[in-house]
Amino acid sequence: MFFVDTIEVSGLGNRGYLAGGERTAVAVDPPRDVDQVIAAAARRGVRISHVVETHVHNDYVTGGLELARIAGADYLVPAGARVSFERTPVRDGDVTALDTGLALRALATPGHTPHHTSYVLEANGTAVAVFTGGSLLIGTVGRPDLVEPRLTERLARAQHASAHRLAAELPDDTAVLPTHGFGSFCSSSQSEGSDTTIGKEKVSNEALTRDVDSFVADLLAGLDDVPAYYAHMGPANAAGPAPVDLTPPAVADADEIAERLDAGEWVVDLRNRVAFASGHLSGSFNFEVEGQLATYLAWLIPWGKPVTLLAESPAQLAAAQRELVRVGIDRPAAAATGGPADWVREGEAPASFPRGTFADLAGRSTDVVVLDVRRTSERADGYVEGSVHIPVHTLHHRLDEVPDGQVWVHCAGGMRAAIAASLLDASGRDVVAVDDSFDAAEKAGLALGPRDGAEAAKARRSSLTT
């Protein structure tokens, strides 16, 4: 008997896993907040005997080192990974006994990183699942451009070879359990579906259905922007992350919050975008805790800058802290809960700005500024004619490029438009947040400027340097 439990890290689009038998288990690519992995093991009544990493991660801070210490587990890391802590180096073909009749076999699958390793879960000698990390994903593969630009094409070709190795050596009914691919920017593209097998991937995954040259050419052309904070994740994981502290931050009153704003620190309002637009502390930025908080806050904020969190409840604040430690934003400088009335100084009033739809925009005169904050790859598939394009992750450095006038800012669905609107509002601009799906733009009668395939591919390639 064996089990496999999924540890969802939905904010980052990743998964970790706990797999084992009656007495012991292995944790695969655990998130930094390891308490949820420990709780999963407690529910199963098993001891975590091993913790394994498929690779040195570039998109989040691992909890592997700390989990291994707490559990007294053996910490398995690919031998080729350059790390600064004690671990058990894993090489291709190594077999680790987990429980009665249950073992883990290492398969070298370079591509996402040079040292990437997948782990085959074997029950009584038969492969039942494979933990593929950033190698073979659902319908795609992990991106090969996060290590070193000079290695990108070589690693893309290695991804193709590794996918074929997995397909050749494992039975068709083997469950494929990747770490990336559920919204993570570590995935080379996004596919639908939450589960798959080797057999399913053989007929649907382009790494397994196309020749290497055409696969690599399209893979490289389709790579998207790399979040800026990724540059800090690999070094943190190689050095060995410190334990997390999820205790509540120091409480700030309205005067202290104002002082922090005056000092140039970031004050981040975690409430949903509707509540923020209707009333907020002037100068604060809106990053919804329900959205991709960790990804976009870590992407935009100057690394290491103090951040104060404003939340509507202690539970919302705690959820945000948990999200942020996963990307190395460990301790907020301060925090406050409640609402705008609690965060403004006596005699001051909350700020606000309007929200609208694409239909509202279509009814406006042409003298408004339409700002598109989607990524370059998204805009390549169509855009509002006459709109200005500044991706949200670059906007805070390029506010002076936004033309004068009232700014109607949009993205693909509303979340990033809300972030951008808060940045513009904080800088004193007259802004309207378009809280609508981009699919509604054409239906509203707005003229769209599509690009042809060649231009779209060129845009995607250029996004690698954005």
Side-chain angles (χ1 to χ4, degrees), residues 15 17 118 128-133 135-140 166-167 170-180 182 194-202 205 208:
R15 288 177 174 177
Y17 300 94
S118 298
V128 293
V130 56
F131 302 102
T132 55
S135 181
L136 187 66
L137 311 184
I138 299 178
T140 185
L166 290 166
L170 299 176
D172 282 357
D173 61 354
T174 305
V176 176
L177 305 174
T179 299
H180 306 312
F182 309 96
S194 60
D195 61 85
T196 190
T197 63
I198 289 291
K200 291 179 182 178
E201 293 306 304
K202 282 182 177 180
N205 195 307
L208 297 172

PDB file of all heavy atoms in Angstrom, residues 15 17 118 128-133 135-140 166-167 170-180 182 194-202 205 208:
ATOM      1  N   ARG A  15       3.264  22.779  -6.860  1.00  0.00           N
ATOM      2  CA  ARG A  15       2.823  21.706  -5.974  1.00  0.00           C
ATOM      3  C   ARG A  15       4.031  21.043  -5.318  1.00  0.00           C
ATOM      4  O   ARG A  15       5.090  20.932  -5.922  1.00  0.00           O
ATOM      5  CB  ARG A  15       2.049  20.628  -6.750  1.00  0.00           C
ATOM      6  CG  ARG A  15       0.671  21.039  -7.215  1.00  0.00           C
ATOM      7  CD  ARG A  15       0.015  19.954  -8.029  1.00  0.00           C
ATOM      8  NE  ARG A  15      -1.370  20.299  -8.368  1.00  0.00           N
ATOM      9  CZ  ARG A  15      -2.168  19.571  -9.123  1.00  0.00           C
ATOM     10  NH1 ARG A  15      -1.707  18.428  -9.651  1.00  0.00           N
ATOM     11  NH2 ARG A  15      -3.397  19.944  -9.374  1.00  0.00           N
ATOM     12  N   TYR A  17       4.718  17.416  -2.694  1.00  0.00           N
ATOM     13  CA  TYR A  17       4.073  16.121  -2.495  1.00  0.00           C
ATOM     14  C   TYR A  17       4.586  15.452  -1.219  1.00  0.00           C
ATOM     15  O   TYR A  17       5.730  15.661  -0.793  1.00  0.00           O
ATOM     16  CB  TYR A  17       4.349  15.189  -3.681  1.00  0.00           C
ATOM     17  CG  TYR A  17       3.839  15.722  -4.995  1.00  0.00           C
ATOM     18  CD1 TYR A  17       4.671  16.457  -5.835  1.00  0.00           C
ATOM     19  CD2 TYR A  17       2.513  15.524  -5.388  1.00  0.00           C
ATOM     20  CE1 TYR A  17       4.207  16.970  -7.039  1.00  0.00           C
ATOM     21  CE2 TYR A  17       2.036  16.027  -6.588  1.00  0.00           C
ATOM     22  CZ  TYR A  17       2.889  16.750  -7.408  1.00  0.00           C
ATOM     23  OH  TYR A  17       2.424  17.268  -8.595  1.00  0.00           O
ATOM     24  N   SER A 118      14.525  13.668 -11.593  1.00  0.00           N
ATOM     25  CA  SER A 118      13.176  13.198 -11.297  1.00  0.00           C
ATOM     26  C   SER A 118      13.276  11.972 -10.396  1.00  0.00           C
ATOM     27  O   SER A 118      14.322  11.319 -10.330  1.00  0.00           O
ATOM     28  CB  SER A 118      12.428  12.844 -12.588  1.00  0.00           C
ATOM     29  OG  SER A 118      12.282  13.976 -13.419  1.00  0.00           O
ATOM     30  N   VAL A 128       4.879   3.500 -10.137  1.00  0.00           N
ATOM     31  CA  VAL A 128       3.485   3.912  -9.987  1.00  0.00           C
ATOM     32  C   VAL A 128       3.319   5.415 -10.157  1.00  0.00           C
ATOM     33  O   VAL A 128       2.225   5.895 -10.473  1.00  0.00           O
ATOM     34  CB  VAL A 128       2.918   3.470  -8.624  1.00  0.00           C
ATOM     35  CG1 VAL A 128       2.810   1.950  -8.561  1.00  0.00           C
ATOM     36  CG2 VAL A 128       3.769   4.002  -7.471  1.00  0.00           C
ATOM     37  N   ALA A 129       4.399   6.163  -9.959  1.00  0.00           N
ATOM     38  CA  ALA A 129       4.346   7.623 -10.109  1.00  0.00           C
ATOM     39  C   ALA A 129       5.757   8.130 -10.321  1.00  0.00           C
ATOM     40  O   ALA A 129       6.737   7.471  -9.956  1.00  0.00           O
ATOM     41  CB  ALA A 129       3.723   8.278  -8.882  1.00  0.00           C
ATOM     42  N   VAL A 130       5.858   9.309 -10.923  1.00  0.00           N
ATOM     43  CA  VAL A 130       7.159   9.935 -11.087  1.00  0.00           C
ATOM     44  C   VAL A 130       7.026  11.414 -10.743  1.00  0.00           C
ATOM     45  O   VAL A 130       6.148  12.110 -11.251  1.00  0.00           O
ATOM     46  CB  VAL A 130       7.731   9.735 -12.511  1.00  0.00           C
ATOM     47  CG1 VAL A 130       6.777  10.240 -13.590  1.00  0.00           C
ATOM     48  CG2 VAL A 130       9.105  10.382 -12.645  1.00  0.00           C
ATOM     49  N   PHE A 131       7.880  11.871  -9.846  1.00  0.00           N
ATOM     50  CA  PHE A 131       7.916  13.273  -9.452  1.00  0.00           C
ATOM     51  C   PHE A 131       8.868  13.987 -10.398  1.00  0.00           C
ATOM     52  O   PHE A 131      10.082  13.798 -10.326  1.00  0.00           O
ATOM     53  CB  PHE A 131       8.366  13.390  -7.995  1.00  0.00           C
ATOM     54  CG  PHE A 131       7.485  12.639  -7.037  1.00  0.00           C
ATOM     55  CD1 PHE A 131       7.880  11.411  -6.525  1.00  0.00           C
ATOM     56  CD2 PHE A 131       6.243  13.145  -6.673  1.00  0.00           C
ATOM     57  CE1 PHE A 131       7.068  10.702  -5.646  1.00  0.00           C
ATOM     58  CE2 PHE A 131       5.422  12.444  -5.796  1.00  0.00           C
ATOM     59  CZ  PHE A 131       5.832  11.219  -5.287  1.00  0.00           C
ATOM     60  N   THR A 132       8.300  14.787 -11.295  1.00  0.00           N
ATOM     61  CA  THR A 132       9.079  15.333 -12.407  1.00  0.00           C
ATOM     62  C   THR A 132       9.513  16.785 -12.206  1.00  0.00           C
ATOM     63  O   THR A 132      10.177  17.335 -13.095  1.00  0.00           O
ATOM     64  CB  THR A 132       8.279  15.237 -13.721  1.00  0.00           C
ATOM     65  OG1 THR A 132       7.011  15.882 -13.543  1.00  0.00           O
ATOM     66  CG2 THR A 132       8.058  13.784 -14.119  1.00  0.00           C
ATOM     67  N   GLY A 133       9.186  17.400 -11.091  1.00  0.00           N
ATOM     68  CA  GLY A 133       9.695  18.727 -10.801  1.00  0.00           C
ATOM     69  C   GLY A 133       9.427  19.729 -11.898  1.00  0.00           C
ATOM     70  O   GLY A 133       8.289  20.097 -12.185  1.00  0.00           O
ATOM     71  N   SER A 135      10.698  19.166 -15.068  1.00  0.00           N
ATOM     72  CA  SER A 135      11.029  18.461 -16.307  1.00  0.00           C
ATOM     73  C   SER A 135       9.758  18.277 -17.130  1.00  0.00           C
ATOM     74  O   SER A 135       9.296  19.210 -17.778  1.00  0.00           O
ATOM     75  CB  SER A 135      11.698  17.121 -15.988  1.00  0.00           C
ATOM     76  OG  SER A 135      12.054  16.441 -17.165  1.00  0.00           O
ATOM     77  N   LEU A 136       9.168  17.114 -17.115  1.00  0.00           N
ATOM     78  CA  LEU A 136       7.936  16.850 -17.848  1.00  0.00           C
ATOM     79  C   LEU A 136       6.750  17.372 -17.044  1.00  0.00           C
ATOM     80  O   LEU A 136       6.475  16.903 -15.941  1.00  0.00           O
ATOM     81  CB  LEU A 136       7.795  15.348 -18.091  1.00  0.00           C
ATOM     82  CG  LEU A 136       6.640  14.908 -18.998  1.00  0.00           C
ATOM     83  CD1 LEU A 136       6.860  15.397 -20.428  1.00  0.00           C
ATOM     84  CD2 LEU A 136       6.504  13.381 -18.971  1.00  0.00           C
ATOM     85  N   LEU A 137       6.049  18.354 -17.606  1.00  0.00           N
ATOM     86  CA  LEU A 137       4.875  18.938 -16.953  1.00  0.00           C
ATOM     87  C   LEU A 137       3.618  18.479 -17.677  1.00  0.00           C
ATOM     88  O   LEU A 137       3.683  17.655 -18.580  1.00  0.00           O
ATOM     89  CB  LEU A 137       4.970  20.465 -16.958  1.00  0.00           C
ATOM     90  CG  LEU A 137       6.287  21.080 -16.484  1.00  0.00           C
ATOM     91  CD1 LEU A 137       6.185  22.602 -16.450  1.00  0.00           C
ATOM     92  CD2 LEU A 137       6.707  20.541 -15.124  1.00  0.00           C
ATOM     93  N   ILE A 138       2.475  19.003 -17.292  1.00  0.00           N
ATOM     94  CA  ILE A 138       1.230  18.629 -17.960  1.00  0.00           C
ATOM     95  C   ILE A 138       1.144  19.386 -19.281  1.00  0.00           C
ATOM     96  O   ILE A 138       0.914  20.594 -19.302  1.00  0.00           O
ATOM     97  CB  ILE A 138       0.015  18.928 -17.069  1.00  0.00           C
ATOM     98  CG1 ILE A 138       0.111  18.125 -15.767  1.00  0.00           C
ATOM     99  CG2 ILE A 138      -1.282  18.584 -17.808  1.00  0.00           C
ATOM    100  CD1 ILE A 138      -1.022  18.389 -14.791  1.00  0.00           C
ATOM    101  N   GLY A 139       1.373  18.699 -20.375  1.00  0.00           N
ATOM    102  CA  GLY A 139       1.286  19.277 -21.696  1.00  0.00           C
ATOM    103  C   GLY A 139       2.461  20.122 -22.123  1.00  0.00           C
ATOM    104  O   GLY A 139       2.477  20.654 -23.231  1.00  0.00           O
ATOM    105  N   THR A 140       3.480  20.244 -21.283  1.00  0.00           N
ATOM    106  CA  THR A 140       4.608  21.097 -21.615  1.00  0.00           C
ATOM    107  C   THR A 140       5.829  20.662 -20.815  1.00  0.00           C
ATOM    108  O   THR A 140       5.867  19.536 -20.304  1.00  0.00           O
ATOM    109  CB  THR A 140       4.246  22.584 -21.344  1.00  0.00           C
ATOM    110  OG1 THR A 140       5.310  23.428 -21.775  1.00  0.00           O
ATOM    111  CG2 THR A 140       3.960  22.829 -19.871  1.00  0.00           C
ATOM    112  N   LEU A 166      11.932   9.711 -19.944  1.00  0.00           N
ATOM    113  CA  LEU A 166      10.844   9.351 -19.041  1.00  0.00           C
ATOM    114  C   LEU A 166       9.791   8.513 -19.766  1.00  0.00           C
ATOM    115  O   LEU A 166       9.296   7.508 -19.233  1.00  0.00           O
ATOM    116  CB  LEU A 166      10.206  10.614 -18.468  1.00  0.00           C
ATOM    117  CG  LEU A 166      11.063  11.405 -17.469  1.00  0.00           C
ATOM    118  CD1 LEU A 166      10.475  12.790 -17.244  1.00  0.00           C
ATOM    119  CD2 LEU A 166      11.171  10.652 -16.147  1.00  0.00           C
ATOM    120  N   ALA A 167       9.452   8.918 -20.994  1.00  0.00           N
ATOM    121  CA  ALA A 167       8.439   8.201 -21.758  1.00  0.00           C
ATOM    122  C   ALA A 167       8.891   6.800 -22.134  1.00  0.00           C
ATOM    123  O   ALA A 167       8.078   5.862 -22.203  1.00  0.00           O
ATOM    124  CB  ALA A 167       8.080   8.989 -23.017  1.00  0.00           C
ATOM    125  N   LEU A 170       9.309   4.452 -18.508  1.00  0.00           N
ATOM    126  CA  LEU A 170       8.223   4.275 -17.547  1.00  0.00           C
ATOM    127  C   LEU A 170       6.957   3.772 -18.224  1.00  0.00           C
ATOM    128  O   LEU A 170       6.672   4.129 -19.372  1.00  0.00           O
ATOM    129  CB  LEU A 170       7.927   5.602 -16.839  1.00  0.00           C
ATOM    130  CG  LEU A 170       9.094   6.197 -16.039  1.00  0.00           C
ATOM    131  CD1 LEU A 170       8.715   7.552 -15.477  1.00  0.00           C
ATOM    132  CD2 LEU A 170       9.518   5.252 -14.923  1.00  0.00           C
ATOM    133  N   PRO A 171       6.175   2.948 -17.522  1.00  0.00           N
ATOM    134  CA  PRO A 171       4.914   2.449 -18.087  1.00  0.00           C
ATOM    135  C   PRO A 171       3.933   3.583 -18.364  1.00  0.00           C
ATOM    136  O   PRO A 171       3.972   4.632 -17.716  1.00  0.00           O
ATOM    137  CB  PRO A 171       4.381   1.523 -16.982  1.00  0.00           C
ATOM    138  CG  PRO A 171       5.560   1.186 -16.131  1.00  0.00           C
ATOM    139  CD  PRO A 171       6.457   2.372 -16.187  1.00  0.00           C
ATOM    140  N   ASP A 172       3.041   3.374 -19.316  1.00  0.00           N
ATOM    141  CA  ASP A 172       2.091   4.413 -19.706  1.00  0.00           C
ATOM    142  C   ASP A 172       1.180   4.849 -18.563  1.00  0.00           C
ATOM    143  O   ASP A 172       0.717   5.995 -18.527  1.00  0.00           O
ATOM    144  CB  ASP A 172       1.224   3.930 -20.873  1.00  0.00           C
ATOM    145  CG  ASP A 172       1.951   3.995 -22.204  1.00  0.00           C
ATOM    146  OD1 ASP A 172       3.112   4.471 -22.230  1.00  0.00           O
ATOM    147  OD2 ASP A 172       1.366   3.563 -23.217  1.00  0.00           O
ATOM    148  N   ASP A 173       0.886   3.957 -17.629  1.00  0.00           N
ATOM    149  CA  ASP A 173      -0.038   4.321 -16.549  1.00  0.00           C
ATOM    150  C   ASP A 173       0.660   4.974 -15.358  1.00  0.00           C
ATOM    151  O   ASP A 173       0.031   5.240 -14.330  1.00  0.00           O
ATOM    152  CB  ASP A 173      -0.839   3.101 -16.088  1.00  0.00           C
ATOM    153  CG  ASP A 173       0.043   1.982 -15.549  1.00  0.00           C
ATOM    154  OD1 ASP A 173       1.287   2.096 -15.627  1.00  0.00           O
ATOM    155  OD2 ASP A 173      -0.519   0.976 -15.061  1.00  0.00           O
ATOM    156  N   THR A 174       1.945   5.282 -15.495  1.00  0.00           N
ATOM    157  CA  THR A 174       2.667   5.958 -14.418  1.00  0.00           C
ATOM    158  C   THR A 174       2.142   7.385 -14.257  1.00  0.00           C
ATOM    159  O   THR A 174       2.110   8.161 -15.218  1.00  0.00           O
ATOM    160  CB  THR A 174       4.180   6.011 -14.722  1.00  0.00           C
ATOM    161  OG1 THR A 174       4.667   4.697 -14.980  1.00  0.00           O
ATOM    162  CG2 THR A 174       4.940   6.624 -13.555  1.00  0.00           C
ATOM    163  N   ALA A 175       1.730   7.735 -13.064  1.00  0.00           N
ATOM    164  CA  ALA A 175       1.250   9.088 -12.804  1.00  0.00           C
ATOM    165  C   ALA A 175       2.410  10.080 -12.880  1.00  0.00           C
ATOM    166  O   ALA A 175       3.478   9.837 -12.310  1.00  0.00           O
ATOM    167  CB  ALA A 175       0.593   9.167 -11.428  1.00  0.00           C
ATOM    168  N   VAL A 176       2.220  11.169 -13.596  1.00  0.00           N
ATOM    169  CA  VAL A 176       3.226  12.227 -13.706  1.00  0.00           C
ATOM    170  C   VAL A 176       2.857  13.327 -12.721  1.00  0.00           C
ATOM    171  O   VAL A 176       1.786  13.925 -12.818  1.00  0.00           O
ATOM    172  CB  VAL A 176       3.296  12.784 -15.146  1.00  0.00           C
ATOM    173  CG1 VAL A 176       4.272  13.956 -15.228  1.00  0.00           C
ATOM    174  CG2 VAL A 176       3.708  11.683 -16.114  1.00  0.00           C
ATOM    175  N   LEU A 177       3.758  13.610 -11.773  1.00  0.00           N
ATOM    176  CA  LEU A 177       3.485  14.547 -10.690  1.00  0.00           C
ATOM    177  C   LEU A 177       4.527  15.660 -10.702  1.00  0.00           C
ATOM    178  O   LEU A 177       5.542  15.586 -10.022  1.00  0.00           O
ATOM    179  CB  LEU A 177       3.496  13.809  -9.345  1.00  0.00           C
ATOM    180  CG  LEU A 177       2.546  12.605  -9.242  1.00  0.00           C
ATOM    181  CD1 LEU A 177       2.749  11.878  -7.924  1.00  0.00           C
ATOM    182  CD2 LEU A 177       1.103  13.063  -9.384  1.00  0.00           C
ATOM    183  N   PRO A 178       4.281  16.717 -11.477  1.00  0.00           N
ATOM    184  CA  PRO A 178       5.246  17.815 -11.563  1.00  0.00           C
ATOM    185  C   PRO A 178       5.105  18.811 -10.419  1.00  0.00           C
ATOM    186  O   PRO A 178       4.058  18.884  -9.760  1.00  0.00           O
ATOM    187  CB  PRO A 178       4.900  18.472 -12.900  1.00  0.00           C
ATOM    188  CG  PRO A 178       3.430  18.227 -13.049  1.00  0.00           C
ATOM    189  CD  PRO A 178       3.151  16.899 -12.387  1.00  0.00           C
ATOM    190  N   THR A 179       6.165  19.584 -10.208  1.00  0.00           N
ATOM    191  CA  THR A 179       6.121  20.667  -9.229  1.00  0.00           C
ATOM    192  C   THR A 179       5.567  21.938  -9.862  1.00  0.00           C
ATOM    193  O   THR A 179       4.767  22.650  -9.254  1.00  0.00           O
ATOM    194  CB  THR A 179       7.532  20.934  -8.670  1.00  0.00           C
ATOM    195  OG1 THR A 179       8.003  19.750  -8.027  1.00  0.00           O
ATOM    196  CG2 THR A 179       7.535  22.085  -7.680  1.00  0.00           C
ATOM    197  N   HIS A 180       5.974  22.233 -11.087  1.00  0.00           N
ATOM    198  CA  HIS A 180       5.552  23.447 -11.790  1.00  0.00           C
ATOM    199  C   HIS A 180       4.423  23.132 -12.778  1.00  0.00           C
ATOM    200  O   HIS A 180       4.124  21.989 -13.050  1.00  0.00           O
ATOM    201  CB  HIS A 180       6.724  24.058 -12.549  1.00  0.00           C
ATOM    202  CG  HIS A 180       7.929  24.328 -11.717  1.00  0.00           C
ATOM    203  ND1 HIS A 180       7.874  24.964 -10.501  1.00  0.00           N
ATOM    204  CD2 HIS A 180       9.259  24.058 -11.918  1.00  0.00           C
ATOM    205  CE1 HIS A 180       9.087  25.070  -9.996  1.00  0.00           C
ATOM    206  NE2 HIS A 180       9.939  24.527 -10.831  1.00  0.00           N
ATOM    207  N   PHE A 182       1.205  24.933 -12.889  1.00  0.00           N
ATOM    208  CA  PHE A 182      -0.163  25.245 -12.475  1.00  0.00           C
ATOM    209  C   PHE A 182      -0.340  26.757 -12.316  1.00  0.00           C
ATOM    210  O   PHE A 182      -1.078  27.229 -11.461  1.00  0.00           O
ATOM    211  CB  PHE A 182      -0.476  24.505 -11.179  1.00  0.00           C
ATOM    212  CG  PHE A 182      -0.147  23.038 -11.261  1.00  0.00           C
ATOM    213  CD1 PHE A 182       1.071  22.559 -10.785  1.00  0.00           C
ATOM    214  CD2 PHE A 182      -1.013  22.155 -11.875  1.00  0.00           C
ATOM    215  CE1 PHE A 182       1.398  21.214 -10.888  1.00  0.00           C
ATOM    216  CE2 PHE A 182      -0.690  20.805 -11.989  1.00  0.00           C
ATOM    217  CZ  PHE A 182       0.513  20.325 -11.494  1.00  0.00           C
ATOM    218  N   SER A 194      -5.218  18.927 -14.332  1.00  0.00           N
ATOM    219  CA  SER A 194      -4.582  18.829 -13.018  1.00  0.00           C
ATOM    220  C   SER A 194      -3.930  17.485 -12.769  1.00  0.00           C
ATOM    221  O   SER A 194      -3.267  17.300 -11.762  1.00  0.00           O
ATOM    222  CB  SER A 194      -5.619  19.102 -11.925  1.00  0.00           C
ATOM    223  OG  SER A 194      -6.677  18.145 -11.996  1.00  0.00           O
ATOM    224  N   ASP A 195      -4.121  16.535 -13.678  1.00  0.00           N
ATOM    225  CA  ASP A 195      -3.477  15.232 -13.514  1.00  0.00           C
ATOM    226  C   ASP A 195      -3.199  14.637 -14.880  1.00  0.00           C
ATOM    227  O   ASP A 195      -3.862  14.960 -15.863  1.00  0.00           O
ATOM    228  CB  ASP A 195      -4.345  14.288 -12.679  1.00  0.00           C
ATOM    229  CG  ASP A 195      -5.697  14.032 -13.331  1.00  0.00           C
ATOM    230  OD1 ASP A 195      -5.773  13.134 -14.194  1.00  0.00           O
ATOM    231  OD2 ASP A 195      -6.672  14.730 -12.977  1.00  0.00           O
ATOM    232  N   THR A 196      -2.187  13.771 -14.909  1.00  0.00           N
ATOM    233  CA  THR A 196      -1.809  13.166 -16.182  1.00  0.00           C
ATOM    234  C   THR A 196      -0.988  11.912 -15.927  1.00  0.00           C
ATOM    235  O   THR A 196      -0.645  11.598 -14.778  1.00  0.00           O
ATOM    236  CB  THR A 196      -1.015  14.172 -17.047  1.00  0.00           C
ATOM    237  OG1 THR A 196      -0.860  13.659 -18.371  1.00  0.00           O
ATOM    238  CG2 THR A 196       0.370  14.442 -16.468  1.00  0.00           C
ATOM    239  N   THR A 197      -0.686  11.205 -16.995  1.00  0.00           N
ATOM    240  CA  THR A 197       0.141  10.009 -16.941  1.00  0.00           C
ATOM    241  C   THR A 197       1.151  10.060 -18.075  1.00  0.00           C
ATOM    242  O   THR A 197       1.045  10.884 -18.994  1.00  0.00           O
ATOM    243  CB  THR A 197      -0.702   8.733 -17.097  1.00  0.00           C
ATOM    244  OG1 THR A 197      -1.317   8.749 -18.396  1.00  0.00           O
ATOM    245  CG2 THR A 197      -1.768   8.627 -16.009  1.00  0.00           C
ATOM    246  N   ILE A 198       2.105   9.158 -18.029  1.00  0.00           N
ATOM    247  CA  ILE A 198       3.074   9.059 -19.116  1.00  0.00           C
ATOM    248  C   ILE A 198       2.353   8.802 -20.435  1.00  0.00           C
ATOM    249  O   ILE A 198       2.670   9.407 -21.465  1.00  0.00           O
ATOM    250  CB  ILE A 198       4.100   7.943 -18.830  1.00  0.00           C
ATOM    251  CG1 ILE A 198       5.048   8.361 -17.687  1.00  0.00           C
ATOM    252  CG2 ILE A 198       4.890   7.599 -20.078  1.00  0.00           C
ATOM    253  CD1 ILE A 198       5.998   9.483 -18.025  1.00  0.00           C
ATOM    254  N   GLY A 199       1.369   7.923 -20.433  1.00  0.00           N
ATOM    255  CA  GLY A 199       0.637   7.598 -21.663  1.00  0.00           C
ATOM    256  C   GLY A 199      -0.073   8.803 -22.241  1.00  0.00           C
ATOM    257  O   GLY A 199      -0.054   9.029 -23.459  1.00  0.00           O
ATOM    258  N   LYS A 200      -0.713   9.599 -21.385  1.00  0.00           N
ATOM    259  CA  LYS A 200      -1.404  10.797 -21.857  1.00  0.00           C
ATOM    260  C   LYS A 200      -0.425  11.802 -22.438  1.00  0.00           C
ATOM    261  O   LYS A 200      -0.691  12.443 -23.463  1.00  0.00           O
ATOM    262  CB  LYS A 200      -2.196  11.433 -20.718  1.00  0.00           C
ATOM    263  CG  LYS A 200      -3.399  10.633 -20.255  1.00  0.00           C
ATOM    264  CD  LYS A 200      -4.098  11.337 -19.095  1.00  0.00           C
ATOM    265  CE  LYS A 200      -5.289  10.525 -18.594  1.00  0.00           C
ATOM    266  NZ  LYS A 200      -5.945  11.189 -17.437  1.00  0.00           N
ATOM    267  N   GLU A 201       0.739  11.951 -21.788  1.00  0.00           N
ATOM    268  CA  GLU A 201       1.724  12.911 -22.278  1.00  0.00           C
ATOM    269  C   GLU A 201       2.318  12.483 -23.614  1.00  0.00           C
ATOM    270  O   GLU A 201       2.681  13.324 -24.436  1.00  0.00           O
ATOM    271  CB  GLU A 201       2.826  13.125 -21.242  1.00  0.00           C
ATOM    272  CG  GLU A 201       2.357  13.815 -19.976  1.00  0.00           C
ATOM    273  CD  GLU A 201       1.657  15.137 -20.272  1.00  0.00           C
ATOM    274  OE1 GLU A 201       2.276  16.010 -20.925  1.00  0.00           O
ATOM    275  OE2 GLU A 201       0.485  15.282 -19.871  1.00  0.00           O
ATOM    276  N   LYS A 202       2.388  11.191 -23.861  1.00  0.00           N
ATOM    277  CA  LYS A 202       2.930  10.714 -25.137  1.00  0.00           C
ATOM    278  C   LYS A 202       2.122  11.217 -26.329  1.00  0.00           C
ATOM    279  O   LYS A 202       2.661  11.394 -27.425  1.00  0.00           O
ATOM    280  CB  LYS A 202       2.971   9.180 -25.150  1.00  0.00           C
ATOM    281  CG  LYS A 202       4.126   8.569 -24.372  1.00  0.00           C
ATOM    282  CD  LYS A 202       4.086   7.046 -24.506  1.00  0.00           C
ATOM    283  CE  LYS A 202       5.254   6.392 -23.801  1.00  0.00           C
ATOM    284  NZ  LYS A 202       5.211   4.897 -23.926  1.00  0.00           N
ATOM    285  N   ASN A 205       1.872  15.955 -25.305  1.00  0.00           N
ATOM    286  CA  ASN A 205       2.967  16.855 -24.951  1.00  0.00           C
ATOM    287  C   ASN A 205       3.877  17.069 -26.145  1.00  0.00           C
ATOM    288  O   ASN A 205       4.394  16.101 -26.718  1.00  0.00           O
ATOM    289  CB  ASN A 205       3.762  16.281 -23.772  1.00  0.00           C
ATOM    290  CG  ASN A 205       4.660  17.315 -23.126  1.00  0.00           C
ATOM    291  OD1 ASN A 205       5.460  17.962 -23.784  1.00  0.00           O
ATOM    292  ND2 ASN A 205       4.521  17.459 -21.822  1.00  0.00           N
ATOM    293  N   LEU A 208       7.098  15.351 -26.696  1.00  0.00           N
ATOM    294  CA  LEU A 208       7.069  13.937 -27.064  1.00  0.00           C
ATOM    295  C   LEU A 208       6.458  13.686 -28.430  1.00  0.00           C
ATOM    296  O   LEU A 208       6.504  12.558 -28.933  1.00  0.00           O
ATOM    297  CB  LEU A 208       6.290  13.148 -26.001  1.00  0.00           C
ATOM    298  CG  LEU A 208       6.908  13.165 -24.602  1.00  0.00           C
ATOM    299  CD1 LEU A 208       5.971  12.522 -23.595  1.00  0.00           C
ATOM    300  CD2 LEU A 208       8.259  12.451 -24.603  1.00  0.00           C
TER     301      LEU A 208
END
